[in-house]
Amino acid sequence: MQIGTDSPSWSPSSGTRTLEQPETRVVPQLARPWNVIVHDDPVTTMLYVVKVFMEVFSYSQMHAHELMMEVHTTGRSVVWTGDREQAELFVHKLHGKHLLAHLEQTDSG
Amino acid sequence: MMYIEREDDAVILRDLPVWVVDTLLCLPEWIESDNPAVRDRLLPKAYLDDEADKEWRDSLGSSLEHLFATRTQIVGKDLRNLEISSGPTAPGDEAFAAQTLFQVRIPGPHVSAWVSTLQAGTHALFILEGLTSEDVSREIPSTDDPEKQVSMLRLAVLQEILVNLLGE
């Protein structure tokens, strides 16, 4: 039986065939980011929420107000997205200010 | 009429009626209540996943409790310096309780502790008094229950002081 020298390669001395591994590239998989989500509650005033967003996230008053309105009208808002460690720090600060907040990983990276 | 006066290094709550003083003095008791719903509200879940949330609570829960306790102590310390701002000054006066107005001085560095404690107090009061979203969403109380009306009045005054301390 004639065996070609092209792939798969033939090694006459050993009589074995070597399968060349297809080239693979390792693409770094970025961790999926985390969302910080704030929920509406019946007691907290709108002004307080705006002030907390400005203080915790250093948001402008306008952006903080937009997010507060989203919380107020829809019941919740994603107020920040990023790495887990920072998201945990923000949630800790929000809990320290008595806002209802939790973090959850996003569906895609 | 209760009002807030700002000085360079302090905020003074003036002309507080007795019932408002009483409400402020109740804050530590409400915030430190062992009612499970109050504890859950003041230490809410950080993760929806129970296991991750337990890890979170184990590592950070006590630091939040400590933070809340420290703030409450600061407020309590300021309230111990309560003064009479107007009205009869002698407890022997029959009208003492009804007419005397009080004032409390909040040093500038204590204001954020007051804001957070008032905020915590509103949540605790809301839960402990069995108030509902509907109760607090109306300008005029929707209940004929006098106890509930008092609770709503207390909640409203805490919110009013809080908003004023925020500087608006």
Side-chain angles (χ1 to χ4, degrees):
Chain A
M1 184 168 74
Q2 184 73 35
I3 300 176
T5 54
D6 52 347
S7 182
S9 63
W10 167 250
S11 171
S13 58
S14 65
T16 58
R17 285 195 307 169
T18 304
L19 284 174
E20 289 180 357
Q21 293 296 320
E23 185 183 350
T24 56
R25 285 190 306 147
V26 177
V27 178
Q29 181 71 44
L30 293 176
R32 285 184 288 138
W34 290 74
N35 287 333
V36 173
I37 297 163
V38 171
H39 298 263
D40 193 25
D41 73 66
V43 174
T44 306
T45 63
M46 293 182 178
L47 175 64
Y48 181 82
V49 177
V50 171
K51 294 277 187 185
V52 169
F53 286 170
M54 290 171 69
E55 183 182 327
V56 171
F57 300 104
S58 300
Y59 288 156
S60 67
Q61 185 164 8
M62 182 179 289
H63 187 48
H65 188 267
E66 287 169 357
L67 291 172
M68 178 278 294
M69 285 308 295
E70 189 176 357
V71 173
H72 181 65
T73 55
T74 70
R76 57 178 260 166
S77 176
V78 175
V79 296
W80 189 86
T81 301
D83 69 73
R84 182 177 184 172
E85 193 174 331
Q86 185 63 54
E88 285 186 332
L89 182 64
F90 282 143
V91 168
H92 187 247
K93 286 184 175 180
L94 293 169
H95 286 181
K97 303 282 184 185
H98 305 294
L99 290 193
L100 274 179
H102 78 274
L103 61 157
E104 62 184 30
Q105 203 161 18
T106 59
D107 292 333
S108 58
Chain B
M1 175 75 101
M2 179 183 78
Y3 66 100
I4 286 182
E5 195 173 289
R6 293 179 187 281
E7 293 182 348
D8 287 344
D9 59 347
V11 176
I12 303 174
L13 307 181
R14 290 201 192 277
D15 289 356
L16 306 173
V18 171
W19 72 269
V20 174
V21 170
D22 181 60
T23 300
L24 293 173
L25 290 171
C26 284
L27 285 171
E29 181 187 329
W30 294 336
I31 293 168
E32 289 161 11
S33 163
D34 57 6
N35 178 302
V38 172
R39 301 270 43 93
D40 283 349
R41 178 58 191 85
L42 297 182
L43 296 167
K45 286 174 78 97
Y47 288 93
L48 299 181
D49 175 72
D50 287 341
E51 196 173 326
D53 193 63
K54 185 178 181 309
E55 272 183 43
W56 167 271
R57 282 170 189 270
D58 288 347
S59 63
L60 291 171
S62 61
S63 72
L64 279 178
E65 291 274 24
H66 180 70
L67 178 67
F68 301 157
T70 302
R71 290 170 175 165
T72 305
Q73 284 167 11
I74 289 171
V75 171
K77 184 180 169 190
D78 292 338
L79 285 171
R80 280 197 290 278
N81 296 323
L82 209 62
E83 295 173 330
I84 291 173
S85 59
S86 70
T89 56
D93 189 321
E94 284 182 7
F96 179 78
Q99 295 179 12
T100 302
L101 300 175
F102 297 85
Q103 65 183 34
V104 60
R105 186 176 189 278
I106 305 171
H110 292 188
V111 170
S112 66
W114 269 79
V115 167
S116 296
T117 300
L118 289 165
Q119 177 71 6
T122 58
H123 290 301
L125 174 64
F126 180 84
I127 292 165
L128 292 169
E129 296 299 319
L131 299 177
T132 65
S133 301
E134 191 179 56
D135 288 333
V136 296
S137 64
R138 301 184 185 201
E139 292 279 331
I140 300 168
S142 58
T143 175
D144 293 330
D145 179 349
E147 283 189 18
K148 210 168 189 180
Q149 286 182 351
V150 169
S151 301
M152 290 165 66
L153 207 55
R154 285 175 181 249
L155 186 71
V157 82
L158 293 178
Q159 288 175 323
E160 186 183 338
I161 295 172
L162 196 156
V163 167
N164 277 286
L165 287 178
L166 288 172
E168 301 284 329

